[in-house]
Amino acid sequence: MEGFISTVSGAISSKNMSEPLVFHFEVDGSDFTSAGTASVTVKKNLRQLGLPSEVIRKLSIAMYEGEINMVIHAEGGTADVIVTEEYIDIILKDQGPGIPDVDLAMQEGYSTATAQIHSLGFGAGMGLPNMKRYSDEMKIDTVLGVGTTVSMRIYIR
Amino acid sequence: MKISDVKELLDAEVLCGEENLGHDVFSACGCDMMSDVLAFAKDQAVLLTGLVNPQVVRTAEMMDMVCIVFVRSKRPSEAILKLAEASGIVVMATRVRMYEACGRLYINGLRGDKLKEHV
């Protein structure tokens, strides 16, 4: 994963949260073993900021599931995390095939993942439901053949 | 119990994180499907699994788990151990199979999801 983080180090050292923290990652879709690297990086950085552990856990699980989804279904994409004083936004954008039926995809247990993905421990049809479960707000914009953007918000207080 | 008790009960070999064997753990889950761990685990400190890939470590990290036990003689790669080390997670391997490993820990006081115990 070729990720980079902008503005993080300065914000951590100053502990000044008036400016939102922005993380940006390119999620490599070609290598399943590296999927989740961005989520781990975000989690470690947010721990240093001293955010409540429950907030960090919700955010990192939601983002991790999203990263896995992008690798499994869309050959990767981008992940942006914006941390403000009130909430954290996660925006996952891919140029994959799109989701034909979002309501169906949101059902627990429904999955189009292959047997190979199952053998890696994923594809149980829990990805999108988990993202909804662990975020406070979630929006899916998807266009067949163009791509999908999943936006999630988690409130800090 | 302590992580060192998990090691003893499962006759396991510690592969990394030896310095954290003194940590207390209060619950565990056994699962090969990481999606289900992410969906259903809550405050569980120990993950028992027969699945061996880097996503096991990342899942444990996301769930704030502190110990991974690979059952039925599964051996993680060096790359997997490095990931675990970087996150301070204890990794051990046991010859014991999943069902018995869970049973040994459970009867010695390491329980599952507290919410489900009352159902």
Side-chain angles (χ1 to χ4, degrees):
Chain A
M1 189 214 56
E2 295 164 17
F4 66 87
I5 304 163
S6 56
T7 73
V8 161
S9 53
I12 286 173
S13 58
S14 68
K15 299 228 181 226
N16 178 359
M17 289 289 287
S18 58
E19 291 284 315
L21 273 182
V22 180
F23 300 77
H24 176 80
F25 299 93
E26 302 287 328
V27 178
D28 181 356
S30 65
D31 179 14
F32 181 80
T33 61
S34 71
T37 315
S39 304
V40 172
T41 305
V42 168
K43 180 163 194 167
K44 285 182 173 159
N45 277 283
L46 294 186
R47 269 193 192 140
Q48 288 179 34
L49 281 174
L51 290 173
S53 57
E54 193 54 33
V55 170
I56 297 175
R57 184 194 287 200
K58 283 167 66 179
L59 172 128
S60 49
I61 295 171
M63 181 173 171
Y64 179 52
E65 287 279 19
E67 252 193 287
I68 296 278
N69 265 356
M70 280 201 288
V71 173
I72 292 175
H73 297 290
E75 297 177 356
T78 59
D80 289 278
V81 180
I82 299 132
V83 185
T84 74
E85 285 185 53
E86 286 87 33
Y87 57 82
I88 304 170
D89 279 344
I90 311 164
I91 297 151
L92 306 167
K93 194 176 287 190
D94 68 59
Q95 272 101 48
I99 305 170
D101 185 336
V102 172
D103 289 338
L104 189 58
M106 286 303 301
Q107 286 181 19
E108 290 192 2
Y110 177 80
S111 176
T112 58
T114 61
Q116 193 224 342
I117 296 300
H118 292 148
S119 73
L120 294 166
F122 288 89
M126 298 303 294
L128 282 172
N130 270 349
M131 289 157 72
K132 187 168 177 63
R133 176 177 296 158
Y134 289 109
S135 59
D136 296 315
E137 292 170 19
M138 183 167 104
K139 191 168 126 225
I140 301 174
D141 295 306
T142 186
V143 179
L144 289 182
V146 178
T148 301
T149 300
V150 179
S151 311
M152 293 178 282
R153 177 166 290 183
I154 291 159
Y155 289 99
I156 293 170
R157 297 189 187 93
Chain B
M1 68 175 68
K2 296 198 181 300
I3 297 178
S4 55
D5 297 321
V6 174
K7 173 191 182 299
E8 294 301 319
L9 287 166
L10 300 180
D11 192 20
E13 179 188 349
V14 176
L15 304 175
C16 79
E18 194 116 16
E19 66 280 9
N20 293 324
L21 286 179
H23 282 196
D24 285 310
V25 289
F26 299 99
S27 63
C29 78
C31 196
D32 286 352
M33 190 53 97
M34 293 303 109
S35 300
D36 284 349
V37 176
L38 293 165
F40 301 115
K42 190 175 185 346
D43 295 329
Q44 270 120 8
V46 182
L47 173 63
L48 296 98
T49 188
L51 182 76
V52 183
N53 70 47
Q55 301 309 342
V56 173
V57 176
R58 295 212 182 90
T59 299
E61 159 113 44
M62 292 306 146
M63 303 305 289
D64 298 320
M65 290 165 154
V66 294
C67 176
I68 299 168
V69 181
F70 289 106
V71 296
R72 46 181 189 270
S73 301
K74 304 272 180 170
R75 304 292 294 201
S77 66
E78 278 302 314
I80 293 174
L81 292 177
K82 269 190 186 156
L83 273 182
E85 264 178 15
S87 301
I89 295 171
V90 179
V91 175
M92 56 181 92
T94 176
R95 292 173 59 194
V96 180
R97 294 175 190 176
M98 177 72 99
Y99 181 77
E100 183 169 345
C102 293
R104 285 189 195 182
L105 298 181
Y106 196 92
I107 58 170
N108 282 283
L110 194 64
R111 297 302 162 96
D113 189 330
K114 282 177 198 151
L115 293 173
K116 285 179 186 149
E117 282 174 17
H118 300 293
V119 172

